[in-house]
């Protein structure tokens, strides 16, 4: 008989796990939102999936996207100086999670995966565990439901280091070559301009990561789409003139009334397994590895961890019992990469080190160096090496 796995949360981690595990196990997804609620709800992220994540989606036969918004490059501007556009090795893609998650959930249901619609509370988790051979907590940044222990070595901050301010806009002429346009304003924060696909067609995401209480942290108290749009135009005009000149006045608007978001994340890494009362719980995705969005790695890392976890569970599918050893093996497999991504992300939150500024400046004169920097985002181990290896 197939083992029963309950996955709580149908986001990047939970959905990829379901695709990867569904043929070897009985998979039950538990999520508090229906596909329709997801589709019509608030945006959740900016979600650039780089080449390795897209390759995993292909490996697990997840539905493909037709898109004219493929991300080929990373543009870097520091202050008001445009430095370069580096080319990625493989194209990336950002699909609004509202659209992606609802489509995947419907597709999985058609493929025989069961869905239970309910919000699981922390106190319900043990009861839920009774129904399954394993529960995987994929509840994202609102989680975890299971008290996985904090990994102190990788959790240096007690407070958010950036305010994330995101709007999905129509009416911004795309940059060429199409890609993520990163502007760093030393001491104030950053802007990420990202082409993306939505239910409403292609949009340009304007994503500000503001140092709290600084001049870019200017969206406090803004609650309506109208006020958000006015404030974003003001911020772009004031701090990002190279984007402002591509705004088409009469077309500049959010793609829908839920196309904006403000959130501040306190980064936190947890050891993603727990043996409670002799029973194993695992965590995957933001519920256990929550980094600041500044390096755009959260979905990519969730997908990486989900792949390692599904491979491990399938390798051990005939074991009599899954115990703490399984959790330990899972953590051992993902920890080196989790550490690299987390340390790089935490370094990006700090003022850029002198040797990185030198690297960026010299890449302005050398396309190969520019391409190498762009590829930090698709292969963050190389970014970690550049930032943290002592020279
Ligand atoms: C502003 C912003 C920008 C970002 N940009 C990028 C980017 O460019 N690239 C990138 O790779 N990553 C980015 N990220 C991070 C990325 O969005 C997350 O890392 C990724 O979505 C994590 O996937 P997940 O499956 O762990 O969680 P989620 O995608 O958040 O999914 C969690 C799921 O759990 C469900 N759930 C939660 N609580 C419960 C409960 N109690 N009971 C039942 N169900 C529950 C939710 O409904 C949801 O379905 C960004 C994040 C933010 C906030």
């Amino acid at each position: 008989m197939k083992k029963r796995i309950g996955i709580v949360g149908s986001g990047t981690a939970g959905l990829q796990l379901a695709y990867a595990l569904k043929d070897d196990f009985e998979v039950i997804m538990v999520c508090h939102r229906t596909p329709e609620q997801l589709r019509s709800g608030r945006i959740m992220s900016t979600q650039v999936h780089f080449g390795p994540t897209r390759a995993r989606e292909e490996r697990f036969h997840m539905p493909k996207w037709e898109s004219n918004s493929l991300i080929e490059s990373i543009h870097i501007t520091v202050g008001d100086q445009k430095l370069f556009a580096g080319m990625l090795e493989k194209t990336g893609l950002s699909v609004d999670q509202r659209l992606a998650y609802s489509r995947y959930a419907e597709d999985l249901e058609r493929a025989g995966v069961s869905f239970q619609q309910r919000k699981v509370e922390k106190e319900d988790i043990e009861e839920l565990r009774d129904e399954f051979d394993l529960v995987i907590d994929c509840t994202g940044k609102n989680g975890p439901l299971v008290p996985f222990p904090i990994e102190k070595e990788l959790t240096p901050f007690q407070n958010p280091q950036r305010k994330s301010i995101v709007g999905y806009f129509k009416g911004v002429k795309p940059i060429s070559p199409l890609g993520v346009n990163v502007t760093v304003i030393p001491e104030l924060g950053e802007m990420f301009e990202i082409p993306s696909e939505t239910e409403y067609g292609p949009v340009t995401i304007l994503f500000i990561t503001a140092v709290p209480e600084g001049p870019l942290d200017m969206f406090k108290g803004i609650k309506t789409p109208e006020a958000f749009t006015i404030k974003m135009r003001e911020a772009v005009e004031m701090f990002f003139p190279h984007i402002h000149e591509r705004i088409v006045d009469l077309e500049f608007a959010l793609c829908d009334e839920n196309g904006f978001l403000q959130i501040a994340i306190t980064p936190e890494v947890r050891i993603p397994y727990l043996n409670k009362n002799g029973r194993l719980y695992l965590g995957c995705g933001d519920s256990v590895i929550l980094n600041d969005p500044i390096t755009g790695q959260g979905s990519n890392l969730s997908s990486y961890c989900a792949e390692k976890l599904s491979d491990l569970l399938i390798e051990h599918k005939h074991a009599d019992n899954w115990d703490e050893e399984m959790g330990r093996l899972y953590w051992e497999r993902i920890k080196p990469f989790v550490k690299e991504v987390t340390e790089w992300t935490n370094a990006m939150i700090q003022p850029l080190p002198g040797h990185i500024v030198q690297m960026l400046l010299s890449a302005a004169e050398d396309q190969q160096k520019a391409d190498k920097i762009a590829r930090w985002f698709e292969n963050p181990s190389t970014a970690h090496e550049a930032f943290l290896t002592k020279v």
Side-chain angles (χ1 to χ4, degrees):
M1 218 168 72
K2 287 181 177 176
K3 286 191 171 64
R4 280 165 59 82
I5 299 181
I7 298 176
V8 188
S10 55
T12 309
L15 289 162
Q16 188 187 301
L17 278 169
Y19 275 98
L21 296 172
K22 68 180 171 36
D23 297 335
D24 294 86
F25 302 100
E26 191 182 340
V27 174
I28 293 96
M29 306 287 294
V30 185
C31 187
H32 66 310
R33 295 210 205 112
T34 62
E36 192 39 50
Q37 286 167 337
L38 284 169
R39 193 179 281 119
S40 58
R42 180 61 67 101
I43 57 161
M44 294 167 263
S45 179
T46 69
Q47 71 271 317
V48 179
H49 289 200
F50 290 104
T53 299
R54 298 184 73 215
R56 283 187 285 271
E57 288 162 357
E58 202 168 324
R59 175 184 170 199
F60 298 121
H61 306 292
M62 297 173 70
K64 290 194 165 74
W65 301 95
E66 292 298 320
S67 175
N68 293 322
S69 303
L70 289 173
I71 293 169
E72 301 165 33
S73 62
I74 307 281
H75 300 243
I76 303 278
T77 297
V78 176
D80 54 8
Q81 195 184 353
K82 169 84 188 259
L83 295 179
F84 59 83
M87 301 306 289
L88 293 166
E89 193 173 344
K90 298 259 165 59
T91 52
L93 180 62
S94 162
V95 179
D96 184 350
Q97 288 181 341
R98 297 177 294 181
L99 179 61
Y101 290 0
S102 51
R103 180 170 169 205
Y104 293 154
E106 285 161 351
D107 183 57
L108 281 166
E109 204 159 13
R110 276 194 297 272
V113 172
S114 318
F115 280 74
Q116 292 180 6
Q117 194 209 337
R118 63 187 263 210
K119 181 164 196 246
V120 182
E121 303 296 341
K122 284 186 181 160
E123 52 276 17
D124 300 336
I125 197 81
E126 292 200 42
E127 203 184 309
L128 187 77
R129 179 67 178 79
D130 291 340
E131 294 177 34
F132 300 106
D133 295 291
L134 178 68
V135 163
I136 311 176
D137 183 335
C138 297
T139 50
K141 55 189 171 293
N142 297 326
L145 297 169
V146 177
F148 299 107
I150 303 244
E151 173 62 276
K152 292 204 181 85
E153 181 202 349
L154 296 177
T155 307
F157 305 112
Q158 308 308 316
N159 304 303
Q161 303 297 301
R162 291 288 189 279
K163 297 246 185 101
S164 294
I165 301 151
V166 184
Y168 284 26
F169 285 99
K170 295 280 187 183
V172 184
K173 285 192 195 139
I175 197 163
S176 176
L178 199 58
V180 177
N181 183 19
V182 185
T183 307
V184 179
I185 308 188
E187 295 173 27
L188 305 197
E190 301 77 21
M191 164 71 94
F192 299 83
E193 179 193 351
I194 304 170
S196 186
E197 289 294 342
T198 70
E199 181 118 16
Y200 312 92
V203 299
T204 301
I205 298 178
L206 297 178
F207 173 21
I208 293 174
T209 49
V211 171
E213 305 306 326
L216 253 188
D217 182 9
M218 54 193 279
F219 287 69
K220 283 181 202 158
I222 289 189
K223 301 257 185 301
T224 65
E226 295 76 19
F228 186 90
T229 305
I230 291 168
K231 192 52 95 177
M232 183 58 87
R233 190 191 275 260
E234 200 181 308
V236 169
E237 185 168 10
M238 209 182 289
F239 295 105
F240 307 100
H242 58 296
I243 299 177
H244 187 252
E245 66 199 22
R246 284 184 283 112
I247 285 185
V248 184
D249 267 341
L250 294 177
E251 292 172 21
F252 187 68
L254 290 167
C255 67
D256 69 297
E257 62 178 15
N258 285 319
F260 70 108
L261 169 76
Q262 294 201 56
I263 190 169
I265 283 176
T266 303
E268 188 178 82
V269 175
R270 291 170 182 262
I271 296 169
Y273 67 95
L274 185 74
N275 196 332
K276 200 166 175 227
N277 302 330
R279 297 189 306 177
L280 178 70
Y281 297 84
L282 299 178
C284 189
D286 279 5
S287 64
V288 281
I289 319 288
L290 182 61
N291 283 317
D292 190 277
I294 193 166
T295 50
Q297 294 300 314
S299 294
N300 294 285
L301 186 57
S302 298
S303 159
Y304 172 89
C305 294
E307 181 182 53
K308 294 286 174 213
L309 177 55
S310 54
D311 284 350
L312 182 71
L313 293 175
I314 290 169
E315 277 167 39
H316 293 265
K317 69 177 176 178
H318 297 303
D320 289 340
N321 186 23
W322 286 340
D323 58 16
E324 197 166 350
E325 178 61 10
M326 179 73 86
R328 206 188 52 70
L329 276 174
Y330 166 45
W331 185 217
E332 193 177 282
R333 287 193 189 181
I334 63 171
K335 189 175 177 185
F337 190 61
V338 166
K339 186 168 158 33
E340 286 177 346
V341 174
T342 301
E343 288 180 345
W344 172 43
T345 304
N346 290 342
M348 281 280 286
I349 294 171
Q350 316 291 326
L352 289 177
H355 75 283
I356 294 293
V357 174
Q358 283 312 316
M359 246 183 227
L360 296 176
L361 291 173
S362 68
E365 312 293 327
D366 182 332
Q367 188 59 39
Q368 266 186 352
K369 287 182 181 168
D371 295 348
K372 211 169 155 186
I373 290 171
R375 291 168 195 184
W376 287 350
F377 292 87
E378 55 189 355
N379 181 1
S381 300
T382 60
H384 182 264
E385 196 185 336
F387 269 71
L388 291 137
T389 304
K390 299 235 169 5
V391 277

